[in-house]
Amino acid sequence: PIHETPASIQVVPRQVIEDQKTPRMKDALENISGVRPNQSIGSGNRFIIRGFPDLGKTYRNGLLATSPSGFPFEMDTANIESIEVLKGPASILYGRIQPGGMINLVPKKPQADPYYSIQQQVGSYNFYRTALDATSKLNESGSLLYRFNMSYENSGSFREFIQNDRAFFAPVVQWKLSDRTQITFDAEYNKGKVRPDFGTVVIGNRPANLPIERNLGESFAKAKYEGILAGFNWSHEFNSQWKLQHRAYVQSTTEDDQNAIPLTLQADNQTLDRFFAGFQGNKHKTYTTSLDLTGHFDALGAKHTLLVGGDYYYFKNTATLVDNFAFPAIDILNPVHGGSPTRDPADDFGLNLKENWFGLYLQDQVELPFHLHLLAGLRYDNAEKSNTSTFGGVQTSKTSRQDKVTPRVGLLWQPIKELAFYGNDVEGF
């Protein structure tokens, strides 16, 4: 229970997502204090938690299941049951997070009772979104369950040139082999085309006095993406006290884009320099898995919840950045759009990034007398990161290897049911 855990945790439940009709994860996270979208160029699914950027690392069912990328797509809420935010360091279980905290998505689960819904949303600026949710059992005994969520969105903007198309599919099948053993297979498929908007310009310390709809980019600017995630989650209960759980995800995402990006406003406060940039074949692949053994028992006059486990994470990114800094400037007061970007192979920038991360952890959550709750543990991390870049025919490589043991201890006192005080000490890696 959150109220017995010495950490700051907030949850956006499904009912809030439904009540607010929020199609994007970033919209739902507006309900959480201290969390806001990272508004930098190409931020995608990146957020700032307690002042620290999360580097695009969002968890799914407790596993790091997203590539730390600047991809333009934003996570859909069609198959999200709830969104959890853990504030502050928590690297004992989730070694790869920043000090600000972490975001964890809890997907919808299949249900035995049949449920079917279709939803149509219509909004300003040609916003149309269709969502479908269906779940039931696949056989008479109910040992096989399914759930299928999908959404399609087409939207414009009050800004020039902005038009987005997004499609999302998420099938899930759960197989209950016995009362104590079950396995769930799930997948997600994203595909879309979005037109980025890089905002307006500043003169002095104020936005320039321009029409609100004016876009200083180009109509050809676009980003196409396609991503697929597949995984499984199986668990076995040896008895009422001990449980083994194994989870794994594989994700592959590709992106191609081209943009006319604002650079610098010249001294006349009217001419805006721009450059052309784009990715060709920007590919991200992520493999992640964890194995947990959880036990509940009494010892030394206290109730214990013991967790022993390990995880592994592999990430690979290959991309070619194409650009030409001679793209035409534009008059912000009397814009004339157009211009043909010319690729100069000499300016191409190749990137090859790899990351391997292995972790082991041990944690004990103890319910003590006098309404005290103790949480203590250790984590060992072993990480290796390599970066190979090619520019102008010259290749540069860097490799970093580190390992560390990090402790965690927290104590919570709950004098009455409605009130709890806690403190903790955590080291991060």
Side-chain angles (χ1 to χ4, degrees):
I2 292 177
H3 211 54
E4 298 176 4
T5 303
S8 177
I9 301 170
Q10 287 183 262
V11 180
V12 182
R14 182 67 204 177
Q15 192 60 53
V16 170
I17 297 174
E18 289 286 350
D19 290 347
Q20 297 179 340
K21 295 293 182 285
T22 52
R24 311 256 82 80
M25 182 180 75
K26 72 173 185 178
D27 300 324
L29 285 171
E30 290 183 2
N31 296 284
I32 304 296
S33 60
V35 179
R36 65 179 179 87
N38 189 333
Q39 299 294 348
S40 62
I41 291 175
S43 60
N45 289 301
R46 300 189 178 200
F47 296 88
I48 294 175
I49 308 174
R50 285 188 171 179
F52 291 90
D54 70 351
L55 304 182
K57 295 182 176 181
T58 300
Y59 283 71
R60 188 177 190 272
N61 271 336
L63 276 184
L64 181 56
T66 61
S67 303
S69 67
F71 283 174
F73 72 87
E74 298 168 344
M75 291 185 181
D76 201 291
T77 60
N79 73 325
I80 299 301
E81 184 65 31
S82 62
I83 304 175
E84 305 170 336
V85 178
L86 171 59
K87 299 180 183 179
S91 63
I92 183 170
L93 295 184
Y94 311 102
R96 291 155 297 275
I97 71 167
Q98 299 302 302
M102 64 172 285
I103 298 169
N104 182 56
L105 306 179
V106 181
K108 293 179 181 177
K109 297 178 175 61
Q111 306 293 329
D113 296 330
Y115 171 80
Y116 310 97
S117 75
I118 185 168
Q119 182 182 107
Q120 180 66 46
Q121 291 175 266
V122 180
S124 303
Y125 309 110
N126 296 319
F127 176 88
Y128 302 95
R129 182 175 186 266
T130 304
L132 174 70
D133 187 0
T135 184
S136 185
K137 54 186 179 181
L138 290 171
N139 57 2
E140 192 65 30
S141 65
S143 61
L144 281 174
L145 307 176
Y146 83 93
R147 191 157 194 164
F148 178 75
N149 283 272
M150 65 80 63
S151 69
Y152 174 75
E153 178 184 320
N154 183 283
S155 61
S157 171
F158 63 92
R159 303 272 289 169
E160 296 174 312
F161 312 142
I162 305 302
Q163 184 67 38
N164 303 317
D165 291 279
R166 297 182 172 97
F168 174 77
F169 304 90
V172 185
V173 175
Q174 185 180 78
W175 182 19
K176 296 182 179 180
L177 286 79
S178 68
D179 292 339
R180 294 184 175 181
T181 307
Q182 64 179 26
I183 183 170
T184 301
F185 300 94
D186 62 337
E188 292 181 2
Y189 177 75
N190 273 285
K191 186 174 183 179
K193 180 173 66 175
V194 300
R195 296 184 183 272
D197 183 359
F198 297 104
T200 188
V201 295
V202 170
I203 298 177
N205 61 357
R206 301 288 297 173
N209 185 20
L210 301 176
I212 193 172
E213 71 274 6
R214 181 161 298 173
N215 188 329
L216 298 172
E218 291 291 337
S219 60
F220 67 75
K222 63 181 178 181
K224 297 187 296 182
Y225 65 87
E226 185 174 20
I228 186 169
L229 178 145
F232 67 86
N233 179 350
W234 71 263
S235 63
H236 174 70
E237 296 180 7
F238 299 101
N239 50 44
S240 60
Q241 294 177 302
W242 292 92
K243 178 182 178 180
L244 185 68
Q245 185 174 28
H246 180 210
R247 293 165 292 183
Y249 286 119
V250 178
Q251 185 192 49
S252 177
T253 312
T254 60
E255 175 199 4
D256 291 285
D257 61 19
Q258 50 183 349
N259 297 302
I261 301 177
L263 188 61
T264 305
L265 191 63
Q266 295 182 11
D268 62 4
N269 286 336
Q270 186 169 341
T271 305
L272 178 67
D273 293 329
R274 301 179 297 172
F275 71 96
F276 173 81
F279 279 106
Q280 286 190 341
N282 190 8
K283 299 179 180 180
H284 284 210
K285 291 186 178 180
T286 303
Y287 306 90
T288 182
T289 185
S290 71
L291 182 66
D292 292 340
L293 176 65
T294 307
H296 303 271
F297 57 90
D298 295 340
L300 302 175
K303 295 182 178 179
H304 296 255
T305 300
L306 182 68
L307 172 65
V308 181
D311 57 30
Y312 174 73
Y313 169 78
Y314 173 80
F315 166 70
K316 181 180 180 180
N317 173 216
T318 56
T320 300
L321 174 65
V322 296
D323 55 24
N324 186 323
F325 290 92
F327 192 76
I330 194 169
D331 186 333
I332 65 172
L333 302 180
N334 300 288
V336 177
H337 294 278
S340 300
T342 303
R343 178 180 176 183
D344 185 353
D347 286 337
D348 286 1
F349 183 85
L351 178 66
N352 192 322
L353 177 66
K354 293 182 181 179
E355 185 175 344
N356 281 284
W357 201 307
F358 172 73
L360 295 171
Y361 42 88
L362 171 67
Q363 176 180 279
D364 192 11
Q365 193 163 7
V366 188
E367 185 177 341
L368 299 167
F370 307 107
H371 309 291
L372 290 171
H373 299 269
L374 173 68
L375 183 65
L378 293 169
R379 178 181 173 97
Y380 169 74
D381 282 291
N382 187 298
E384 178 180 339
K385 191 172 184 177
S386 63
N387 186 340
T388 302
S389 59
T390 304
F391 182 72
V394 179
Q395 189 176 87
T396 304
S397 298
K398 296 179 181 179
T399 301
S400 174
R401 298 181 180 89
Q402 295 183 28
D403 67 333
K404 188 176 177 64
V405 176
T406 52
R408 172 186 183 181
V409 61
L411 186 65
L412 180 142
W413 177 47
Q414 192 175 6
I416 59 176
K417 183 179 179 181
E418 295 80 11
L419 181 66
F421 300 92
Y422 75 89
N424 59 33
D425 185 84
V426 185
E427 288 188 15
F429 179 59

